[in-house]
């Protein structure tokens, strides 16, 4: 991997692309210090845009990054839109992590830019990435790519994926802050490529624990995370992809976690369910397309193959 995994305790870690960060505070009492650096509620409102700025934003910035899953890309109008936050939600084992891995692998393999992958539950699997890469058929004809042996091909992809372990909200604030500083100073690059995709798998595992009595400022911290992610997406033309789990809605129904406050945050919300190897993707929210659109597709074999050993 091109990055050193985050660890608990003091000191600092450095990624392979020069992204330096000190380890985040572990005690929730440090939240007062962290909150001093968080955006004010005024930043949440943003600024006014005139018509020409909106047109330029759409035509010059908001391109799509293909996930490599053709049916999902078609459903979303092209893939993950740059400058926006996309949420993948669904029950356990529905394929949320696999969509993240497939998106990272496809974008890295096509040399579209670097991917920052924030892993909150040790779900990142290099062996699964390898399986995906070897199965991407449309890369065979890409110039120069077919000349690479499998190992060199995989190494090239892995160098484009910066992976960090993030296990609490404070570590997330720290990594996002350091990412923004590095992007501002143009220090996160690899051979001229810049970060184009930020993945957090999963955002709910970090935010759900702070929404409650233990963290009185939990909801404000959740909104602060939302502000930072959308600001990174807009300022640096990133596509931000996060995953969210489902919770009970009563009467046997389920709904995305994190409540009504978070519901308004994603620009795009896609729900995935799976029965055997048949997946159903449903658009819950989209800035350009009607909600309720669905697509059924057979999951690629590499998405739901045998489980890969996770790193300790």
């Amino acid at each position: 991997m091109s990055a050193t995994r985050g660890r608990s305790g003091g000191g600092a870690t450095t990624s392979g692309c020069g992204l330096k960060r000190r380890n985040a505070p572990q005690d929730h009492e440090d939240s007062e210090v962290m909150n001093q650096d968080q955006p004010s509620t005024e930043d949440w409102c943003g600024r006014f845009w005139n018509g020409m700025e909106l047109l330029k934003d759409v035509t010059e910035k908001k391109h799509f990054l293909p996930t490599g899953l053709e049916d999902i890309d078609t459903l979303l109008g092209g893939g993950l839109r740059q400058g926006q936050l996309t949420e993948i939600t669904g029950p356990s084992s529905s394929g949320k992590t696999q969509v993240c891995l497939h998106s990272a692998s496809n974008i890295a393999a096509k040399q579209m830019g670097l991917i920052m992958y924030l892993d909150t539950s040790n779900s990142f699997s290099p062996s699964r990435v390898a399986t995906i890469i070897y199965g991407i058929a449309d890369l065979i004809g890409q110039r120069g790519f077919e000349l690479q042996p499998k190992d060199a091909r995989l190494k090239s992809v892995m160098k484009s994926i910066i992976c960090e372990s993030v296990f609490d909200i404070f570590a997330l604030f720290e990594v996002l802050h350091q990412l923004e500083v590095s992007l501002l100073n143009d220090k996160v690059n690899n051979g001229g490529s810049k970060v184009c995709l930020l993945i957090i798998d999963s955002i709910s595992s970090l935010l759900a624990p702070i929404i409650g009595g233990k963290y009185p400022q939990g909801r404000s911290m959740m909104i602060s995370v939302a502000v930072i992610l959308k600001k990174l997406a807009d300022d640096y033309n990133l596509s931000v992809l996060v995953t969210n789990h489902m919770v009970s809605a009563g009467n046997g129904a389920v709904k995305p976690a994190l409540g009504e406050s978070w519901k308004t945050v994603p620009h795009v919300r896609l729900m995935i369910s799976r029965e055997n190897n048949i997946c159903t993707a449903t658009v819950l929210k989209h800035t350009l397309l009607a909600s309720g659109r669905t697509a059924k597709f057979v999951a690629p074999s590499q998405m739901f193959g045998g489980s890969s050993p996770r790193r300790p």
Side-chain angles (χ1 to χ4, degrees):
M1 289 302 301
S2 62
T4 300
R5 304 283 293 181
R7 290 183 284 272
S8 302
T13 58
T14 306
S15 78
C17 289
L19 179 63
K20 294 185 177 181
R21 54 175 289 260
R22 66 181 185 276
N23 292 308
Q26 301 299 313
D27 194 334
H28 71 272
E29 293 180 356
D30 291 329
S31 62
E32 294 183 1
V33 177
M34 297 298 297
N35 283 338
Q36 293 175 2
D37 297 326
Q38 302 314 311
S40 67
T41 53
E42 294 177 356
D43 294 327
W44 177 245
C45 299
R47 66 179 180 86
F48 292 106
W49 293 59
N50 63 41
M52 287 303 300
E53 288 176 320
L54 290 171
L55 179 62
K56 182 178 179 180
D57 187 58
V58 170
T59 57
E60 296 185 9
K61 292 180 62 178
K62 299 295 193 298
H63 301 298
F64 291 95
L65 299 178
T67 67
L69 299 168
E70 184 177 351
D71 298 278
I72 288 182
D73 289 337
T74 300
L75 184 64
L76 295 179
L80 306 173
R81 200 175 188 209
Q82 291 181 282
Q84 293 193 349
L85 190 156
T86 299
E87 179 190 86
I88 304 289
T89 186
S92 176
S93 300
S94 59
K96 301 184 296 294
T97 292
Q98 285 77 4
V99 172
C100 292
L101 293 174
H102 211 287
S103 300
S105 302
N106 186 64
I107 292 165
K110 293 184 176 180
Q111 303 174 355
M112 301 181 74
L114 302 181
I115 296 88
M116 188 74 174
Y117 198 115
L118 303 186
D119 181 7
T120 70
S121 56
N122 282 333
S123 59
F124 184 85
S125 171
S127 60
R128 188 65 58 82
V129 171
T131 304
I132 293 171
I133 292 303
Y134 298 153
I136 298 179
D138 63 352
L139 289 177
I140 300 301
Q142 185 171 317
R143 192 175 72 175
F145 205 81
E146 71 279 3
L147 301 178
Q148 291 181 312
K150 284 188 175 182
D151 290 344
R153 185 188 312 174
L154 181 60
K155 184 178 180 180
S156 175
V157 169
M158 288 299 190
K159 282 185 176 180
S160 296
I161 302 176
I162 308 168
C163 188
E164 287 280 347
S165 289
V166 179
F167 297 126
D168 61 55
I169 186 68
F170 304 112
L172 178 62
F173 278 133
E174 185 72 8
V175 171
L176 294 180
H177 171 69
Q178 292 297 333
L179 174 61
E180 182 172 21
V181 171
S182 298
L183 287 170
L184 182 63
N185 296 321
D186 196 25
K187 290 184 177 180
V188 186
N189 60 71
N190 181 21
S193 298
K194 298 182 180 180
V195 174
C196 64
L197 174 62
L198 170 62
I199 297 174
I200 306 179
D201 183 28
S202 77
I203 192 72
S204 55
S205 67
L206 300 178
L207 297 181
I210 69 171
I211 304 175
K214 184 178 179 181
Y215 294 91
Q217 303 300 319
R219 290 194 178 276
S220 64
M221 285 195 287
M222 179 178 72
I223 295 302
S224 292
V225 169
V227 172
I228 294 170
L229 291 178
K230 296 180 86 168
K231 184 175 187 297
L232 285 171
D234 185 66
D235 288 356
Y236 302 100
N237 203 30
L238 305 182
S239 179
V240 178
L241 176 64
V242 303
T243 64
N244 190 4
H245 67 275
M246 306 288 279
V247 295
S248 173
N251 299 321
V254 293
K255 62 180 180 181
L258 303 179
E260 294 298 314
S261 297
W262 180 262
K263 181 179 179 180
T264 62
V265 171
H267 296 94
V268 176
R269 208 172 208 189
L270 186 69
M271 182 176 67
I272 295 180
S273 59
R274 179 170 70 98
E275 185 174 353
N276 297 321
N277 283 337
I278 303 299
C279 292
T280 301
T282 304
V283 175
L284 301 181
K285 178 184 178 183
H286 201 288
T287 54
L288 299 175
L289 306 172
S291 299
R293 299 172 72 243
T294 64
K296 289 185 179 292
F297 57 96
V298 178
S301 57
Q302 67 265 24
M303 287 184 66
F304 302 108
S307 59
S308 302
R310 293 181 178 180
R311 293 184 304 275

